[in-house]
Amino acid sequence: MHTTPPLPPSGPASGPPAAAPSLTDGEWHRLHPLTPLFRGGLFLVVIAGIVIANLRDRLVFIFLPWLDDDIDVEVDEWQSGDPIDYILANNLVLVAGLALLAILLVLIALFYLSWRFHTFRITGDDVEVRSGVLFRTHRRAPLDRVQGVNLTRPMFARLVGMAKLEVVGAGLDSNVKLEYLSTPNAEAVRADILRLASGRRLAEARVAGVAPSVSRVANAASVVSAGINGLITGAEEPVSEPESVVHIPVGRLIASRLLSTSTLWLLAIIVAIIVGSIAGTPWVLFSLVPALIGFGAYWVRTITRSLRYSIAPTPSGVRITFGLFTTITEILPPGRVHAVEVDQSILWRPFGWWSITVNRLSGRGIADANADQFTTVLPVGTREDVERVMRLLLPNLPESEWPLVFEHGVLGPKPDDPYTNTPRRARLLRPLSWKRNGFLLLPQALLLRRGMIWRKLAVFPLARLQSIGIEQGPIDRALSVAGIRAHTISGRVYGRLGILDRDAALALFEDAEAAALTAAASDHSHRWAGDPSVPEPVDERRAR
């Protein structure tokens, strides 16, 4: 019996959906189509604010007519020179409407050209960004010099599922920014950049099988589609993050900011204002009240920046997330931390709180106000929190040497102190901290301990140490003491330690030089995945 074969189904072919186009395929891609709106949105907000401020009386008169008795006095003033009245009186409504339409079309054209000529590509060696219509710029960040990858999600951009990706370079103002991408694309691009920077091929980290090739037109269409879907769906999708090893209660965070040196300055300002008011010098109010408002804004800003804080290990490095309104997620790849410091003020000592700061290349200028937020990796934490974070930042330190870091370094001195401290003959130069002022050289790091009122322990990984120097002034020569300085990149971690025995400082100079050369020769953290044929136990421990 003859049977007729079934007709093929109409419409698109059935089967598994094609894989989404990759943004790290070495081709040039464009950013999120809403990027010009958010990058130029501040300008539009300022223009709208000026217009609303100039028309506030008319808006009140139109939308709140029951208040007309209160503003009758001002009506004649704004009607006499009001441009809207001029347009209505001279029947220029159509002309004004066409002018506004022309301005709107020009803005749309400028936004489109800005988006059209802003492209990026990610190859196996670099991250490149081209931008500009009349004046073109081309920036490139070598992957083997990547110091970190930051993901910033401002509050308004998060409403439509957008994020800003920043590849941190090794030089000053060398960061390459991709602003903006959809949040899923930004997460995927960051993961691919870190895989490439580690020396691992992308194909080894992806699911087996070759993804179908996708043309640039299809790729651009998918980006536009993602932008439209972002407008429809609204808020961003939840971003999966590894569980944090530290949880900071909000009460502890607020209390730590209140118990700080800035609080003492604030109290001094308040006292000065009260005294000035009583003494009849009102000029004090004009000079100190703005400072009081500034301190209040600083407090609120530091607290909101530290909310939603988390820190966790990942195969690509340490992942740090912070920020309430603008959420910032940064990943520090292995070997990118040049110095670590644990410090505790006397105001925090009764509560057992500590903070941790680092020296790292942020790719930002010294004048950048946001550069400081990338140096604090633990705003406030207990002893257990400090140990967990320190183990993440210093994964190569052997287990047997951790008591030298925390028990003797952070909490010391203790009996059988292994640190070399200030000699007794020079204790007058360090009357409070001479027993604590000392150093300890380990095969992997140099430890500098100082301070009694403000306890500090600075750890300098020898593989990152640039040089070490000895300093000696006339008083030092008379007492046969000297100071040492560990040279690293500039930052909040201070590398100088003074008032040490001269012979001990000379011995440290020789030993640290040899140890730093040995550590640097065995360091391969710029490509931490390494050769696939050579296993690296450091990465295995980090992955666990």
Side-chain angles (χ1 to χ4, degrees), residues 323-390:
L324 178 61
F325 302 113
T326 297
T327 302
I328 299 176
T329 303
E330 58 173 337
I331 291 184
L332 286 176
R336 268 53 175 184
V337 176
H338 292 249
V340 184
E341 185 175 74
V342 184
D343 63 89
Q344 180 192 58
S345 71
I346 194 172
L347 299 176
W348 288 8
R349 198 165 303 170
F351 306 94
W353 296 341
W354 307 79
S355 67
I356 299 179
T357 56
V358 298
N359 281 1
R360 53 163 296 198
L361 290 171
S362 64
R364 298 172 180 266
I366 299 177
D368 193 334
N370 296 323
D372 185 66
Q373 67 184 357
F374 293 101
T375 64
T376 302
V377 296
L378 180 63
V380 57
T382 61
R383 169 178 173 174
E384 292 76 14
D385 297 337
V386 170
E387 279 199 87
R388 296 190 193 103
V389 174
M390 291 286 286

Side-chain angles (χ1 to χ4, degrees), residues 9 80 189 209 218-219 225 247 253 273 296 310 333 361 413 444 463 478 487 500:
S80 59
V189 169
N219 191 10
S225 176
H247 300 280
L253 181 62
I273 292 176
S310 69
L361 290 171
Q444 296 81 17
H487 296 119
L500 300 171

Side-chain angles (χ1 to χ4, degrees), residues 241-296:
E241 294 188 6
E243 184 179 359
S244 177
V245 301
V246 172
H247 300 280
I248 304 177
V250 178
R252 182 201 300 170
L253 181 62
I254 296 176
S256 66
R257 293 300 175 262
L258 294 176
L259 297 173
S260 62
T261 53
S262 59
T263 303
L264 301 179
W265 286 105
L266 179 62
L267 293 176
I269 290 176
I270 293 175
V271 171
I273 292 176
I274 295 174
V275 172
S277 301
I278 295 175
T281 53
W283 60 267
V284 176
L285 297 178
F286 293 101
S287 59
L288 295 182
V289 169
L292 183 63
I293 297 175
F295 269 112

Side-chain angles (χ1 to χ4, degrees), residues 144 146 197-198 333-337 396 463-464 520 522-530 536 538-539 542:
D144 60 350
V146 170
S198 71
R336 268 53 175 184
V337 176
N396 298 334
R464 307 268 77 81
S522 60
D523 178 67
H524 302 287
S525 58
H526 65 290
R527 291 285 194 178
W528 62 91
E536 295 193 10
V538 173
D539 289 335
R542 193 189 316 281

